[in-house]
Amino acid sequence: ETGVTQSPTHLIKTRGQQVTLRCSSQSGHNTVSWYQQALGQGPQFIFQYYREEENGRGNFPPRFSGLQFPNYSSELNVNALELDDSALYLCASSLRGSYGYTFGSGTRLTVV
Amino acid sequence: QKEVEQDPGPLSVPEGAIVSLNCTYSNSAFQYFMWYRQYSRKGPELLMYTYSSGNKEDGRFTAQVDKSSKYISLFIRDSQPSDSATYLCAASSMNTGFQKLVFGTGTRLLVSP
């Protein structure tokens, strides 16, 4: 059984650029969530996807968007990057209705 | 006010000590409570999961939830240096129709040999 894998592990982008982060869910999981973890803080919920549709969003602007594919892999896209977007981005997969989240190791994004 | 409050620490203890980690929350709709462990440069790992009030034990770990006081605790018995990590409490409700975890800031635990 594979866990959740995220790519890339580290990324440096310039303010104003766009970035795409990728996630492969754990086998058998049909729901994927994305979280942002700033340094010294707990993860904050960005959004959740189920059956390729967004079914919940946290307090993040529309320039944060996502996709879920039929094989349950997922992407997080961030447009017009700001310095405050620098954080660890975590992908978590689960079965819908279950609280057995499996987190990936995250992508460390630095915006300069 | 944050929905889930947690002392960031660090909390330093000697090996073998009993560790008590705590959180408070403000949202009465929370029904599910979790503790995650996060090692440096890794994602959070689920340790314990409790529904509503009560205790749950798993090996050296005991989770307690007191909904009347909105208080969440994690106890670690016979702490080991390998327990050194950041411990995150999280809470959730299904009232929103989807699963959203609300995390505390995390408490950094250091267990010295």
Side-chain angles (χ1 to χ4, degrees):
Chain A
E1 177 180 279
T2 60
V4 175
T5 56
Q6 293 187 243
S7 62
T9 54
H10 296 86
L11 202 53
I12 299 175
K13 288 286 189 178
T14 302
R15 189 172 50 184
Q17 284 188 313
Q18 178 266 342
V19 69
T20 298
L21 309 182
R22 293 179 174 82
C23 171
S24 289
S25 299
Q26 180 168 317
S27 177
H29 285 181
N30 56 13
T31 301
V32 65
S33 304
W34 286 90
Y35 287 80
Q36 180 196 66
Q37 187 175 23
L39 198 62
Q41 301 296 315
Q44 286 198 38
F45 176 75
I46 302 175
F47 44 53
Q48 182 177 90
Y49 277 79
Y50 172 66
R51 290 186 175 178
E52 302 172 49
E53 289 191 3
E54 183 185 297
N55 74 333
R57 171 177 278 265
N59 191 25
F60 281 81
R63 60 189 184 83
F64 286 79
S65 63
L67 286 172
Q68 184 186 30
F69 300 101
N71 64 355
Y72 304 127
S73 65
S74 176
E75 287 182 354
L76 165 66
N77 299 289
V78 187
N79 294 322
L81 284 167
E82 302 176 359
L83 297 179
D84 285 348
D85 295 334
S86 296
L88 180 69
Y89 287 85
L90 295 162
C91 171
S93 72
S94 63
L95 277 174
R96 185 169 175 82
S98 163
Y99 281 86
Y101 278 60
T102 302
F103 280 87
S105 292
T107 294
R108 173 76 59 188
L109 173 65
T110 302
V111 182
V112 298
Chain B
Q1 182 190 9
K2 291 185 177 181
E3 287 188 281
V4 178
E5 299 271 8
Q6 186 175 9
D7 187 330
L11 177 62
S12 295
V13 301
E15 182 176 355
I18 296 175
V19 175
S20 173
L21 302 167
N22 307 291
C23 291
T24 58
Y25 65 93
S26 57
N27 189 340
S28 299
F30 288 152
Q31 303 163 290
Y32 302 89
F33 305 93
M34 285 137 280
W35 284 95
Y36 283 84
R37 177 173 63 195
Q38 187 173 26
Y39 291 113
S40 180
R41 302 185 185 278
K42 295 290 186 183
E45 169 195 12
L46 180 65
L47 278 177
M48 304 285 287
Y49 154 49
T50 308
Y51 172 71
S52 193
S53 282
N55 294 0
K56 189 170 186 177
E57 188 173 322
D58 185 1
R60 297 185 294 114
F61 299 90
T62 300
Q64 286 185 353
V65 175
D66 182 347
K67 292 193 74 178
S68 62
S69 59
K70 297 188 177 65
Y71 203 78
I72 313 164
S73 299
L74 178 71
F75 299 96
I76 306 175
R77 292 183 297 280
D78 188 25
S79 56
Q80 302 295 311
S82 58
D83 294 329
S84 298
T86 296
Y87 289 79
L88 296 154
C89 62
S92 182
S93 75
M94 283 298 285
N95 291 352
T96 52
F98 59 92
Q99 302 158 346
K100 168 191 170 183
L101 299 182
V102 179
F103 284 88
T105 55
T107 299
R108 188 173 168 216
L109 172 66
L110 303 171
V111 182
S112 54

